[in-house]
Amino acid sequence: MNNSISSSVIKRLPRYYRFLGELQNQGLTRISSRELSEMMGLTASQIRQDLNCFGGFGQQGYGYNLSVLRTEIARILGINNQKGAILIGMGNLGKAVTMHINFETKGFKLIGLFDSKESLVGQMVKTLPIRSIQSLDEFCRENRPEVAILCIPKDAAEEISAELISLGVKGFWNFSHYDLTLKYDDVIVENMHFGDSLMTLSYRLNNEK
Amino acid sequence: MNNSISSSVIKRLPRYYRFLGELQNQGLTRISSRELSEMMGLTASQIRQDLNCFGGFGQQGYGYNLSVLRTEIARILGINNQKGAILIGMGNLGKAVTMHINFETKGFKLIGLFDSKESLVGQMVKTLPIRSIQSLDEFCRENRPEVAILCIPKDAAEEISAELISLGVKGFWNFSHYDLTLKYDDVIVENMHFGDSLMTLSYRLNNEK
DNA sequence: TAGATTGTTAATCGATTAACAATC
DNA sequence: TAGATTGTTAATCGATTAACAATC
């Protein structure tokens, strides 16, 4: 389907979704692109262009119905189609991601936690037991996760991702420094690079103002 | 200084920095833009354009000296100029960030941890004690942190950021959904929005391939 | 010197903004 | 109907890529 939508547009959708939700919580039912643009710090033009990539959700002279628009964005993002996800690496970061993230409202269902450290195996985190990385193969064959969350170091990520891809994993939420896209060009990867973000902040603190 | 470098360029610098480090670890001493481009999945042209925003670090006919180039990028990013940072919110995420991130190699020094939950106060995380949010004001006046890391919910972020800015905090590493830039346009913010990243992944899984 | 590769200018491509006719 | 605001086309702006002269 629509592989033609630019990633600049896609990356703005979750933010629209958040703002529309807040406006709904405030009891509003409609919003114009101009009002929304002032609220979000964008141009009205950009908002209309973005939304019209997916269809005409507004009405001339009226604006957008909040509920309709938010539902449409949820549908576009595929949030209702829950995709099975497993998380590899239950260190501080893996645990925090498991505890902290509300996967259900973002289009995923966390169904398995894995670690190579045998001392962690069996421990419950939130509602799931930590499993041995030895059982990864069997678990994937049975439960067919579509997505893997990598909270492991680069070398481990390189090794495990090859296995995961052979087991049918199609997407990665990647917290490691392993660059999956260089080797696998048909796999979908979202990188969360804490260090890169921090260094960008460092640059801007040193150079802006 | 150079406020004119586009953010597209800035955001690529940390990745260059990582790749150059790896090449150095492999014992190499020089690299051409073409070789680096193949390794990183970019065009050689882009690499040369990016680097030339900051000066001519290469040599015609030779390429770039790895050590020189990496040192230059570190300098550009301001990694050696350590900026004091405090972290607000020692829940799962705050703890994981404290434990997991190597601030020293990214231009920061974590000097204080804060939480509003009195039961957490006094607990040590890594090498720092969790302090009461009540002592934030005093701590900032004494230690003048330049940066705050927000690992708290939106409402708390809204409240605390106003205080932090009045206390001289110039930059934020923001894990909350509070949009600081809308209200404070002279503050520097790097957002880490887990949910947005996940939803983007959801979209792509539903629409690509 | 000849070969290689940079630094830099010019060309292309894509994304954002502006403008306005369509229409509710 | 008149006013408002979308959907959409055209204009502008910025980022990426290509090309090549400079030079090591």
Side-chain angles (χ1 to χ4, degrees), chain B residues 3 10 21 36 44 46 58 63 72 78 81-82 85 116-117 123 132 138-139 145 155 160 166 169 184 205 207:
Chain B
N3 201 344
I10 307 305
L36 188 60
Q46 179 165 67
E72 283 295 339
N81 168 28
Q82 284 201 345
S116 59
K117 216 180 204 167
Q123 190 182 315
S132 165
E138 189 190 341
F139 184 92
D155 290 349
I160 298 273
S166 78
V169 169
Y184 308 102
L205 280 162
N207 294 282

Side-chain angles (χ1 to χ4, degrees), chain A residues 5 11 39 49 65 85 90 110 124 146 161 179 194 196:
Chain A
I5 311 288
K11 281 190 288 195
M39 205 163 296
Q49 285 276 25
N65 177 290
M90 291 299 291
L110 190 59
M124 295 296 289
E146 202 173 334
S161 60
D179 215 316
F194 287 73
D196 289 13

Side-chain angles (χ1 to χ4, degrees), chain B residues 16-179:
Chain B
Y16 289 136
Y17 186 70
R18 271 193 280 128
F19 270 81
L20 296 172
E22 280 166 33
L23 290 167
Q24 272 191 299
N25 287 344
Q26 286 166 28
L28 297 174
T29 57
R30 51 163 287 202
I31 188 102
S32 72
S33 59
R34 191 183 51 74
E35 289 171 306
L36 188 60
S37 73
E38 283 165 10
M39 204 162 297
M40 294 185 67
L42 305 170
T43 64
S45 216
Q46 179 165 67
I47 292 175
R48 293 203 298 278
Q49 286 275 27
D50 284 355
L51 298 177
N52 270 84
C53 292
F54 306 99
F57 305 134
Q59 200 169 60
Q60 279 99 330
Y62 172 86
Y64 298 86
N65 177 291
L66 271 177
S67 155
V68 167
L69 183 54
R70 189 149 185 274
T71 304
E72 283 295 339
I73 294 181
R75 183 187 55 70
I76 292 162
L77 287 170
I79 283 172
N80 301 317
N81 168 28
Q82 284 201 345
K83 295 158 281 287
I86 58 175
L87 191 154
I88 322 288
M90 290 300 289
N92 297 307
L93 181 61
K95 271 187 188 150
V97 167
T98 303
M99 305 282 280
H100 186 261
I101 307 289
N102 191 343
F103 288 94
E104 282 72 17
T105 58
K106 273 122 202 149
F108 298 90
K109 186 169 168 59
L110 190 58
I111 58 172
L113 309 175
F114 294 86
D115 203 287
S116 59
K117 216 180 204 167
E118 290 301 323
S119 61
L120 290 175
V121 174
Q123 190 182 315
M124 295 296 290
V125 180
K126 223 176 185 184
T127 60
L128 295 168
I130 300 179
R131 296 168 194 273
S132 165
I133 197 72
Q134 306 293 338
S135 66
L136 181 64
D137 189 284
E138 189 190 341
F139 184 92
C140 289
R141 288 180 199 285
E142 278 175 20
N143 299 283
R144 294 278 157 210
E146 201 173 334
V147 169
I149 304 163
L150 303 180
C151 297
I152 49 183
K154 188 172 192 283
D155 290 349
E158 184 163 358
E159 201 180 301
I160 298 273
S161 61
E163 186 182 355
L164 289 166
I165 289 166
S166 78
L167 287 162
V169 169
K170 294 277 176 289
F172 288 85
W173 202 26
N174 179 37
F175 290 79
S176 85
H177 281 165
Y178 176 53
D179 213 317

